[in-house]
Amino acid sequence: MQTEAVLEHHGGSQSSCRTGSKSWQYSDLMEKVDGYLMKYTNLVTGWQYRYFVLNNEAGLLEYFVNEQSRNQKPRGSLPLAGAVISPSDEDSHTFTVNAISGEQYKLRASDAKERQHWVSRLQICAQHHTEALGKTNPPLQTRSLSMASQGSGSSPGSQHRVNQNSNALLGLSQLQRGSSLYSSRKSLLPDHLLEAREMMSQAQGQHRDLIQSIEGLPSSQGPSPLDQDLLLLKATSLATMTCLSDCLHILQLQQVARQKAPLGGEFFFFLMSVLLQVTRALLASLKLWCGFQEQEEIDATQEVDDSTPAEEEELGAVEEERSIILHLLSQLKLGMDLTRVVLPTFILEKRSLLEMYADFMSHPDLFVTITDGSSPMDRMVRFVEYYLTSFHEGRRDAIAKKPYNPIIGETFHCSWKVPKATTPPTAVSKEGTSCASDCYSVRFVAEQVSHHPPVSGFYAECQERQMCVNTHVWTKSKFMGMSIGVSMIGEGNLHLLEHGEEYTFSLPSAYARSILTVPWVELGGKVNVNCTKTGYSAVITFQTKPFYGGKLHRVNAEVKHNPTNSVVCRVQGEWNGVLEFTYTSGETRVVDVTKLPVTRKRVRPNELQGPYESRRLWQHVTESLKERDMDKATEHKRFLEERQRKEERHRAETQTAWRTKYFERKGEGWVYCQPLWKTAAPSSSPVSSPQNP
């Protein structure tokens, strides 16, 4: 529309612009355009002033370091034939030039008027040179289709191996009209055209899945199949598929016609490249939309023992970045909420907070034996033992590091195998133990259900033992001078279905101390555990180190029978060291947390994970951190966070509520949508196949 307006403004028409190649009826429009623009290079370099020249005759956008160097070789150039020039919606000064090769220039003018001038001239030049490419091939209407039936195998693509199942790829109804013409000519089609047909077939399948997903939505909750936005999405997808099918049909006609009378093929391959790019984009969008609305189907047979090494970081890394930390601290105030503060990348832990929550199950043998307790008191004490030993595995490193803040919609899945043989805790399965029917399976799923506030839900179950635990946590951090405090607000519920018991519990706060030297973590606060049915409760107190003297990581607990107000067991020691259990009978028992074997979790390889599963989602950040390339890690991290913010703004503008996958809101908390206490009959993969939210 902008191009047409400019043409009319200068007294020309689009038709007049298309006549003549060198006489150029629109020569009045081909004025000299040059000047300084800002060009975005990368995250590190940012925006740089460069001198740009629009070469109308060659159809190139060239740039130089400055105006004085314009007589030298250009620093870079972009062909405008087939290019798309788009004003940016982020501000009134920025625009992009996207070449058909995939290369992009992101440019910024001094004001909105200058941007409009550049965009208009670039669009006119791009239109002219795109149409000039088309003149190398006569219109299809002037060719007789009889030429196609006489074509020989002179196509450049005939030298490549042909997919013998190409007929099967014509799954689109719109292509059936031309399939008989080409069924005997499939060997003449180049490989890249077959690739386009195959991708179109995949896109058609995704389109069908999209339609079925929308039409299968329950009308009782959430958006219905008749929601205006969903109807528009269906119509847009159908129109796009129809348009692409027609484009592919034209390309097939063009290719077969070229067998007999091959003329210039640049425009043919240009159109094919455009078709491939558009189809790839459509396919990716459809996959993303369908995948976002459907739960990942987790195949437990694909899981393997986790080979990720424990975090080992050199202490010198913190010393090297002290100036950055000092600068950050100078911007903070005591008690300031750090939820929205962007912290430097070098302090990241190379894993998501959702995965860190799985460390609570690093001793699954203690978890599954809770239900073996012979009495309500015994089961409460067993739960307290499991609870106290569940924190040290997540904090083994010498330096306190911060896990990635999960992206809304992010998920993490894993499992553990626990041998059924009755053995003392110190002899429980070592890493990599292979067992099938001799093992209990403990499955875990976590999901980031909210962004503001940042709330995570996680759920674990052992179906064979008829027990499960559901927890939701809101992490709230604040600045405390030389420390950072993190409150874990939320509640957990353990269900022992065999006994009909439910245990509710809270979580302690965590503190990162000595953030200017070598940061370390301690836990603090009071935790309550209650079982209403049995009348047993426990109070666990994590003690922070006093300013003078005292020991680190101290904890004590009391297990009480509420009806009689009697303490039946006391615990004292260190949550990451030795714990001593003392019963009213005088019996004592010692558990050394450091000697408890850690059972490796089982996860699927990254390439088998969904796009929003933690390890695959953050893989580029993790790889960059391992290579100690902080700039690259920051760039990848910023991309994910900016995408999240953009999607959040879009939902706010369209008043669209976020829809979770595995958890649903219940009062003030979040509950797994198909917990074990709701399912009457066991299923083969309970955690990975929840009902549609």
Side-chain angles (χ1 to χ4, degrees):
M1 296 296 294
Q2 291 175 331
T3 302
E4 293 176 9
V6 172
L7 290 172
E8 292 171 1
H9 175 72
H10 285 76
S13 65
Q14 283 184 299
S15 60
S16 66
C17 292
R18 295 172 182 166
T19 60
S21 58
K22 274 283 185 169
S23 58
W24 291 359
Q25 295 295 323
Y26 69 121
S27 58
D28 291 341
L29 302 179
M30 307 308 288
E31 66 180 60
K32 174 184 175 183
V33 182
D34 54 32
Y36 282 99
L37 294 170
M38 293 187 71
K39 178 179 180 292
Y40 185 80
T41 305
N42 53 47
L43 186 66
V44 178
T45 309
W47 294 90
Q48 295 179 309
Y49 272 106
R50 292 291 180 258
Y51 191 79
F52 281 83
V53 175
L54 173 58
N55 188 333
N56 284 305
E57 291 201 27
L60 296 173
L61 177 61
E62 303 170 331
Y63 75 89
F64 306 83
V65 174
N66 49 47
E67 185 176 4
Q68 290 70 32
S69 62
R70 65 175 298 173
N71 294 325
Q72 302 173 8
K73 183 179 178 181
R75 189 72 174 267
S77 63
L78 206 62
L80 295 176
V84 177
I85 296 90
S86 306
S88 173
D89 57 2
E90 60 185 81
D91 57 47
S92 60
H93 300 179
T94 307
F95 63 98
T96 58
V97 183
N98 301 273
I100 60 173
S101 63
E103 188 177 1
Q104 180 193 79
Y105 284 178
K106 185 175 182 180
L107 307 174
R108 181 174 291 169
S110 59
D111 54 36
K113 183 177 180 181
E114 185 185 25
R115 180 182 78 168
Q116 182 58 42
H117 183 73
W118 273 99
V119 168
S120 299
R121 300 304 162 184
L122 288 169
Q123 286 178 338
I124 293 171
C125 185
Q127 178 186 350
H128 169 72
H129 286 279
T130 301
E131 293 172 352
L133 279 179
K135 294 187 177 73
T136 60
N137 282 330
L140 288 177
Q141 290 84 344
T142 63
R143 297 190 180 187
S144 170
L145 289 183
S146 62
M147 295 170 61
S149 61
Q150 302 170 4
S152 64
S154 60
S155 166
S158 64
Q159 300 172 5
H160 302 293
R161 186 179 63 84
V162 177
N163 184 345
Q164 297 300 316
N165 297 321
S166 57
N167 279 339
L169 302 178
L170 286 173
L172 303 176
S173 59
Q174 293 88 342
L175 295 178
Q176 294 303 317
R177 60 192 178 192
S179 59
S180 60
L181 177 63
Y182 302 114
S183 59
S184 63
R185 297 292 173 186
K186 59 184 179 182
S187 61
L188 304 180
L189 300 180
D191 285 349
H192 36 270
L193 187 52
L194 291 177
E195 180 188 357
R197 291 171 59 184
E198 184 170 5
M199 292 181 65
M200 287 285 288
S201 179
Q202 295 177 27
Q204 180 73 355
Q206 293 292 334
H207 168 72
R208 285 194 299 267
D209 292 343
L210 172 64
I211 300 302
Q212 292 172 4
S213 297
I214 294 176
E215 294 177 349
L217 288 173
S219 56
S220 57
Q221 56 180 357
S224 74
L226 299 179
D227 181 87
Q228 184 177 0
D229 290 337
L230 295 183
L231 290 175
L232 178 61
L233 180 63
K234 288 170 59 177
T236 302
S237 178
L238 178 60
T240 306
M241 289 303 307
T242 303
C243 179
L244 289 176
S245 300
D246 289 340
C247 290
L248 183 58
H249 178 67
I250 292 172
L251 286 174
Q252 288 174 314
L253 291 172
Q254 180 81 336
Q255 173 61 21
V256 175
R258 289 180 64 247
Q259 309 306 316
K260 181 65 178 178
L263 298 172
E266 294 84 355
F267 188 56
F268 170 77
F269 289 108
F270 157 66
L271 282 179
M272 187 176 296
S273 68
V274 172
L275 176 66
L276 281 172
Q277 289 184 49
V278 174
T279 308
R280 286 193 182 103
L282 174 67
L283 183 58
S285 299
L286 288 173
K287 284 182 176 179
L288 180 61
W289 199 94
C290 293
F292 227 15
Q293 299 303 317
E294 300 171 357
Q295 294 79 19
E296 295 97 339
E297 290 297 326
I298 308 303
D299 185 353
T301 62
Q302 296 176 339
E303 293 179 333
V304 296
D305 288 337
D306 186 18
S307 59
T308 303
E311 187 86 6
E312 293 182 3
E313 193 69 47
E314 303 121 3
L315 299 181
V318 178
E319 295 292 333
E320 295 170 6
E321 308 292 352
R322 179 177 294 182
S323 60
I324 299 178
I325 299 177
L326 282 171
H327 174 73
L328 178 64
L329 295 181
S330 68
Q331 312 298 313
L332 305 179
K333 297 179 181 179
L334 284 176
M336 182 176 179
D337 183 2
L338 301 180
T339 304
R340 295 174 183 264
V341 175
V342 179
L343 299 176
T345 305
F346 67 85
I347 69 169
L348 296 179
E349 193 179 329
K350 302 188 185 74
R351 63 173 178 167
S352 172
L353 180 63
L354 294 187
E355 181 172 353
M356 196 187 80
Y357 286 140
D359 287 341
F360 287 126
M361 302 299 300
S362 293
H363 303 301
D365 49 295
L366 296 180
F367 175 72
V368 299
T369 56
I370 294 174
T371 193
D372 288 336
S374 58
S375 65
M377 183 200 81
D378 190 16
R379 290 190 289 275
M380 176 61 79
V381 173
R382 285 175 181 244
F383 174 74
V384 170
E385 179 182 354
Y386 155 74
Y387 187 92
L388 289 174
T389 59
S390 64
F391 292 97
H392 83 103
E393 179 61 20
R395 297 267 67 98
R396 291 178 298 165
D397 306 327
I399 302 179
K401 308 282 279 190
K402 179 185 177 299
Y404 311 141
N405 289 331
I407 300 295
I408 188 169
E410 178 183 337
T411 62
F412 180 76
H413 303 264
C414 66
S415 68
W416 296 264
K417 296 292 185 183
V418 184
K420 294 180 179 179
T422 305
T423 54
T426 54
V428 174
S429 76
K430 303 292 182 182
E431 297 177 6
T433 298
S434 175
C435 51
S437 58
D438 319 343
C439 291
Y440 296 121
S441 176
V442 178
R443 300 200 56 77
F444 175 93
V445 61
E447 178 181 2
Q448 190 69 10
V449 296
S450 172
H451 181 44
H452 292 303
V455 181
S456 308
F458 58 93
Y459 173 87
E461 69 177 29
C462 180
Q463 193 177 83
E464 298 96 325
R465 304 311 313 271
Q466 288 292 285
M467 58 188 301
C468 61
V469 59
N470 185 98
T471 309
H472 67 274
V473 183
W474 167 22
T475 55
K476 188 174 184 180
S477 55
K478 63 180 179 180
F479 179 56
M480 303 170 62
M482 290 297 101
S483 303
I484 293 176
V486 180
S487 300
M488 292 193 282
I489 305 168
E491 184 179 82
N493 299 87
L494 170 70
H495 295 260
L496 303 181
L497 303 184
E498 180 184 350
H499 305 287
E501 297 172 356
E502 178 181 351
Y503 298 71
T504 62
F505 58 92
S506 53
L507 295 166
S509 297
Y511 301 91
R513 308 294 194 189
S514 304
I515 57 179
L516 266 183
T517 54
V518 180
W520 54 278
V521 169
E522 67 172 342
L523 302 178
K526 185 175 291 187
V527 170
N528 295 294
V529 184
N530 290 285
C531 180
T532 304
K533 178 180 179 180
T534 65
Y536 280 91
S537 65
V539 177
I540 304 172
T541 304
F542 292 87
Q543 301 172 354
T544 57
K545 184 183 180 301
F547 191 75
Y548 291 108
K551 294 184 177 180
L552 293 173
H553 311 307
R554 295 290 296 174
V555 65
N556 59 63
E558 286 186 349
V559 178
K560 181 186 289 188
H561 184 237
N562 295 325
T564 60
N565 198 32
S566 58
V567 176
V568 298
C569 181
R570 286 186 170 87
V571 187
Q572 62 179 356
E574 295 86 33
W575 57 266
N576 61 351
V578 176
L579 297 168
E580 184 179 20
F581 291 74
T582 304
Y583 297 85
T584 52
S585 63
E587 176 190 356
T588 61
R589 185 166 58 89
V590 174
V591 175
D592 188 345
V593 176
T594 62
K595 294 182 180 179
L596 292 177
V598 174
T599 303
R600 284 276 193 179
K601 59 179 173 286
R602 296 170 59 82
V603 295
R604 290 172 301 141
N606 288 1
E607 59 270 18
L608 298 179
Q609 295 184 11
Y612 273 75
E613 289 190 66
S614 294
R615 290 196 176 180
R616 181 174 172 185
L617 180 69
W618 293 96
Q619 62 181 339
H620 298 306
V621 179
T622 302
E623 290 167 1
S624 300
L625 288 175
K626 288 179 179 178
E627 297 167 357
R628 299 188 63 80
D629 189 340
M630 298 305 163
D631 291 334
K632 193 173 181 181
T634 301
E635 187 172 354
H636 288 303
K637 176 173 173 285
R638 187 172 298 176
F639 168 79
L640 293 175
E641 293 169 343
E642 180 55 35
R643 184 176 68 181
Q644 178 179 228
R645 285 188 285 268
K646 187 178 294 184
E647 291 171 350
E648 187 176 24
R649 287 194 298 269
H650 176 71
R651 289 194 299 273
E653 291 168 359
T654 58
Q655 297 182 340
T656 303
W658 174 257
R659 298 178 63 206
T660 54
K661 291 181 183 178
Y662 296 103
F663 291 81
E664 55 190 1
R665 188 72 179 262
K666 293 292 184 182
E668 295 299 314
W670 293 84
V671 179
Y672 182 65
C673 63
Q674 196 175 7
L676 199 57
W677 68 80
K678 282 187 179 179
T679 55
S683 61
S684 59
S685 182
V687 170
S688 60
S689 303
Q691 66 188 14
N692 291 328

